[in-house]
Amino acid sequence: MILTMADPVQKEKRHVAMFPSAGMGHFMPFLHLARTLAIRHGFAVTFITAAQNVSPTETAHVQRLAASGLDIHIVKLQINKSQEAEGDPFFAQWEATKASMPAFENLLTSDLLKQTPPVSAIITDPVLTPTLSIAAKFNIPTYVLYPSSAFNLGFMLHAPIADAQGFDFSDEKAVLQIPGFPALGATQIPQAFKVKDHIFRRIFLASGSEVPKASGIFVNTFEELEQQCLQSLRSRHDLPPVYAIGPLFLPSEDSSTWDDEAERRCLKWLDAQPAKSVVYVSFGSRSAMSAAQIRELALGLEMSEQRFLWVLRTSVVDGAGSVEAPVPGGFEERVGERGMIVSCWVPQVKILSHVSTAAFVSHCGWNSVVEGLCCGVPILAWPLFGDQMMNASIVVENAKAGSEVRKGEDGIVSREEVASGVKAIVQREDLTRAAIGLQQRGRIAIIEGGLSDKSLKAAFQLSK
Ligand code: UDP
C-alpha cells in the first residue's frame, strides 16, 4: 500500500488484519467480512493466509478477493512444509497455519504496524488463538470471528469448564447442561471430542479457554435465529462483547461466482425447472459419504419423485470426487432430466436463491444453514459430524424451518427415509413459511444496514 502521511482520508482510514484458519467453513465468513469492511466501512484489509496451507478452492477465492479492486491486500505467510501434520487434510492445514505464528509476529512488526494507516485491529479465527497473545504484546485489539453458531460457541466456551469439573464427554447417556443453553445430549456432542487425545479435542479445549481473552467475539448469526443463546452468552461477565454480525453473505455480491462450464450447466438446468420445485442436496466442502450411503441417497432421491440438484462429493476436501461409479447402475438414465448430479464446486448461494429451488438437504455446516434460511429455503437436516448436530437442532427447534433425517442403527439413512424426508420438506408449508420469515429478518440485517452494521460500528466505534 503506497500512502502518504499527509492524506487526511488515509489518516481516518482503519486498517484491519484478518487471519482465517483452514477449511471453507472458516474461510467463507472471513471472505465475506473482509468485503463488508472494505465496501461498507471503507476499511483497508490485510487478508492473511498461510502459503501451502489452502486448498485449490480456497486459493481461487483468495485470488478473486485480490482481484476485486477493493482495498484488500493478501499476504501469504511462508511456513515450513515439514511441519505439516499427516492425516485429515483439515488438521494438516490447521497445524501448518499454527506453525506460521512466528511469521505472523514478524509480519506485524516489520510491515503491518509500519504501514499508513498501521493495522489497528486483528480479526482472528477461534482455532488460531496464539494470535491473541502475539497481538497483545503490541496492544492491538483482537476480535474472534466465530464461524459456527452461537450455540456451538457456548459449547466451546463451556467445554474447558465441564472438562475441569470431570464431565465425561464419552458417556453416551450424559447430558451437558450449559447455563442458559438448551441441554446437550451425547448425540449432539462432536464424536471426535469424545476421544481423549484427539487433535480436535485439544484444539477445541485450548480455544475455549483462550477466546474469552479477545476484545470481542463476532458470530455469523442474528438475533431472531439464536436469541436465547446470544442472550446467555451476553449475560456472562467473563466474556468480551458478543456481536451477532450475520448473516454474513452478500447474495448480490456472491463471491463464489465461477465463470465456468459447471456453473453455467447448473444454472441453465435450474432455469429450465418450474418455480419452487428443486431440492438442492449438498453436504458442504469436505464431507464425503460411504459408498453404501451414497447408494441409499440416490435410490431415495429416485423414490421421492422430486426434482433434485445433487452435489456429490466423494473426497474429504473440496476437490473433485474419487469414488468409482458411486451411484447405482442405470440411476441417471432412470432419473433423466428430473435430476442433476455434479461433483465440482458450485455457486451455492446462487442455487439457494434461485426461484426454482424449493428445499435444501444439508449437512448443516453453519454457513449452509445461514445461507439456506436466509434464502427462505427449508432444510432437511442431515448432520454428519462436528458442530453439525447442534446446528441441525437450531434449524429444527429454534427456527422451526426444517426437519432432521433419522439414521438407522448402522448409521445409514435408508432410501425410504430419504424419500419421505425429501417429499415432506417440499410439501410442508409451515417449514417454508418459517424459512421465509427468517429470510426477511436476515435481509433486514444485511441489506438494509441492520444488525451486522450496528454490531460492526459498535465493535470498531465507528461514527457513521
Ligand atoms: N460452498 C459452495 N459451493 C460448494 C460447496 C460449498 O459455495 O460446492 C460454500 C457454501 O456456500 C458455504 C461453504 O462453502 O459457504 C461451506 O461451509 P459450511 O459451513 O456450510 O460447511 P463445511 O464445508 O465447512 O462443512
Side-chain angles (χ1 to χ4, degrees):
M1 205 183 313
I2 305 167
L3 302 167
T4 60
M5 290 296 282
D7 184 340
V9 176
Q10 297 303 343
K11 267 170 90 182
E12 292 295 313
K13 197 171 175 116
R14 307 213 176 201
H15 178 185
V16 63
M18 301 184 70
F19 197 178
S21 179
M24 286 311 292
H26 289 243
F27 229 63
M28 288 304 244
F30 274 82
L31 291 170
H32 292 314
L33 184 56
R35 291 169 64 85
T36 303
L37 289 171
I39 295 170
R40 290 205 186 167
H41 302 289
F43 278 47
V45 177
T46 296
F47 198 89
I48 304 169
T49 67
Q52 301 116 1
N53 169 23
V54 289
S55 68
T57 314
E58 288 170 16
T59 304
H61 275 85
V62 170
Q63 281 165 353
R64 279 172 176 255
L65 196 63
S68 64
L70 298 168
D71 196 355
I72 300 178
H73 302 263
I74 313 293
V75 174
K76 278 192 190 152
L77 293 182
Q78 294 303 323
I79 51 149
N80 180 354
K81 237 187 158 189
S82 64
Q83 287 171 298
E84 290 182 26
E86 298 293 318
D88 184 321
F90 178 81
F91 294 123
Q93 288 182 3
W94 176 77
E95 287 282 12
T97 313
K98 207 178 68 150
S100 62
M101 287 305 146
F104 169 69
E105 181 164 351
N106 191 35
L107 174 73
L108 270 186
T109 51
S110 65
D111 184 0
L112 300 185
L113 284 169
K114 292 190 176 152
Q115 288 186 15
T116 308
V119 81
S120 59
I122 292 168
I123 301 177
T124 193
D125 193 288
V127 300
L128 294 181
T129 47
T131 48
L132 291 170
S133 45
I134 293 172
K137 287 195 214 166
F138 307 99
N139 287 324
I140 308 172
T142 302
Y143 299 83
V144 165
L145 172 54
Y146 200 72
S148 184
S149 51
F151 188 16
N152 188 263
L153 171 61
F155 173 58
M156 175 189 254
L157 295 168
H158 189 74
I161 301 168
D163 192 49
Q165 288 168 348
F167 183 84
D168 182 2
F169 288 94
S170 64
D171 178 353
E172 291 300 325
K173 294 207 177 72
V175 173
L176 182 63
Q177 191 61 69
I178 306 171
F181 282 76
L184 209 50
T187 53
Q188 289 176 296
I189 290 179
Q191 205 53 38
F193 196 81
K194 299 176 183 175
V195 181
K196 260 261 171 279
D197 54 356
H198 197 286
I199 182 171
F200 172 79
R201 182 185 161 92
R202 278 191 280 122
I203 298 171
F204 209 74
L205 285 175
S207 299
S209 307
E210 291 298 309
V211 163
K213 296 177 187 163
S215 307
I217 307 173
F218 297 136
V219 194
N220 179 16
T221 192
F222 54 107
E223 306 293 331
E224 288 78 3
L225 186 55
E226 290 199 275
Q227 201 157 36
Q228 184 198 348
C229 296
L230 284 167
Q231 272 171 5
S232 303
L233 287 166
R234 288 175 182 143
S235 68
R236 277 183 56 166
H237 300 299
D238 57 336
L239 291 183
V242 175
Y243 303 100
I245 61 163
L248 258 184
F249 73 97
L250 311 170
S252 55
E253 297 143 17
D254 182 1
S255 63
S256 67
T257 303
W258 306 103
D259 183 23
D260 67 10
E261 186 50 32
E263 165 163 347
R264 268 197 298 276
R265 253 183 347 117
C266 281
L267 296 177
K268 197 170 157 213
W269 182 83
L270 272 178
D271 286 344
Q273 309 308 314
K276 295 271 169 228
S277 68
V278 174
V279 178
Y280 169 57
V281 184
S282 172
F283 296 86
S285 62
R286 59 184 306 272
S287 309
M289 285 176 158
S290 67
Q293 183 62 88
I294 289 172
R295 186 183 160 77
E296 288 304 297
L297 172 52
L299 294 172
L301 287 172
E302 185 182 342
M303 276 170 73
S304 77
E305 298 181 340
Q306 298 292 324
R307 292 168 202 270
F308 62 87
L309 170 53
W310 177 12
V311 184
L312 173 53
R313 215 167 292 290
T314 49
S315 62
V316 256
V317 278
D318 50 45
S322 58
V323 168
E324 290 281 304
V327 293
F331 171 77
E332 284 168 271
E333 292 73 29
R334 289 196 302 277
V335 165
E337 273 301 293
R338 181 162 69 74
M340 177 159 190
I341 303 183
V342 290
S343 63
C344 53
W345 188 259
V346 298
Q348 177 158 303
V349 171
K350 280 193 176 164
I351 291 170
L352 287 168
S353 50
H354 195 284
V355 66
S356 299
T357 303
F360 185 11
V361 178
S362 172
H363 71 314
C364 293
W366 186 244
N367 295 286
S368 293
V369 167
V370 173
E371 290 162 3
L373 296 179
C374 291
C375 289
V377 174
I379 296 177
L380 179 60
W382 186 327
L384 301 171
F385 61 83
D387 59 344
Q388 296 159 14
M389 289 80 75
M390 285 182 218
N391 300 343
S393 82
I394 291 168
V395 171
V396 178
E397 307 297 335
N398 285 30
K400 309 226 178 307
S403 58
E404 186 170 339
V405 292
R406 276 170 308 175
K407 294 182 183 151
E409 282 186 3
D410 52 1
I412 300 261
V413 181
S414 68
R415 63 192 79 170
E416 292 80 13
E417 173 70 13
V418 173
S420 63
V422 162
K423 270 192 201 155
I425 204 76
V426 174
Q427 287 162 4
R428 275 187 58 185
E429 286 175 12
D430 57 327
L431 302 180
T432 304
R433 261 200 311 277
I436 290 173
L438 280 165
Q439 176 186 30
Q440 283 158 358
R441 300 307 308 167
R443 279 224 176 119
I444 293 170
I446 26 178
I447 295 169
E448 291 166 18
L451 296 170
S452 72
D453 270 3
K454 274 192 212 145
S455 292
L456 289 174
K457 282 179 189 162
F460 292 113
Q461 293 162 10
L462 302 172
S463 54
K464 46 177 192 153

